């Protein structure tokens, strides 16, 4: 599955983010500009929105990583 970053003013597709194997459940932009996404293969990815590269991959166990939609907090935004 892929995510796309779009220019809201022009409608131009700026970047395509590739890496998730399952369907993407949700994606949000963090306060520092990075993008956080989760998918059905029980993973979270943190993306550099400038380069489109994955900067962090977090994988869940057999029962999945997420049971509900992402709740954004300052803690998520502070990950390095």
């Amino acid at each position: 599955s892929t995510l796309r970053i779009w220019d809201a003013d022009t409608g131009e597709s700026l970047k395509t983010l590739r890496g998730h194997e399952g369907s993407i459940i949700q994606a949000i932009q963090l306060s520092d500009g990075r993008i956080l996404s989760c998918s059905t293969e029980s993973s979270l990815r943190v993306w550099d929105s400038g380069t489109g590269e994955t900067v962090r991959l977090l994988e869940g166990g057999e029962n999945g990583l997420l049971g509900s939609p992402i709740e954004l907090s300052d803690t998520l935004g502070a990950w390095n």
Side-chain angles (χ1 to χ4, degrees), residues 37-50:
S37 61
C38 60
S39 72
T40 58
E41 89 266 6
S42 299
S43 72
L44 278 171
R45 285 182 182 265
V46 180
W47 306 86
D48 180 312
S49 58

Side-chain angles (χ1 to χ4, degrees), residues 1-77:
S1 297
T2 60
L3 289 171
R4 288 188 182 260
I5 299 174
W6 300 87
D7 182 310
D9 294 325
T10 66
E12 177 185 3
S13 176
L14 302 174
K15 296 260 186 267
T16 301
L17 312 179
R18 293 180 174 87
H20 282 295
E21 294 179 19
S23 298
I24 296 166
I25 299 168
Q26 188 173 13
I28 58 172
Q29 187 168 17
L30 301 173
S31 60
D32 65 2
R34 292 179 296 170
I35 296 170
L36 176 66
S37 61
C38 60
S39 72
T40 58
E41 89 266 6
S42 299
S43 72
L44 278 171
R45 285 182 182 265
V46 180
W47 306 86
D48 180 312
S49 58
T51 66
E53 298 295 320
T54 299
V55 294
R56 178 77 48 112
L57 172 62
L58 304 166
E59 298 178 299
E62 289 179 19
N63 296 324
L65 183 64
L66 300 172
S68 61
I70 296 170
E71 295 286 335
L72 181 60
S73 72
D74 290 337
T75 303
L76 288 175

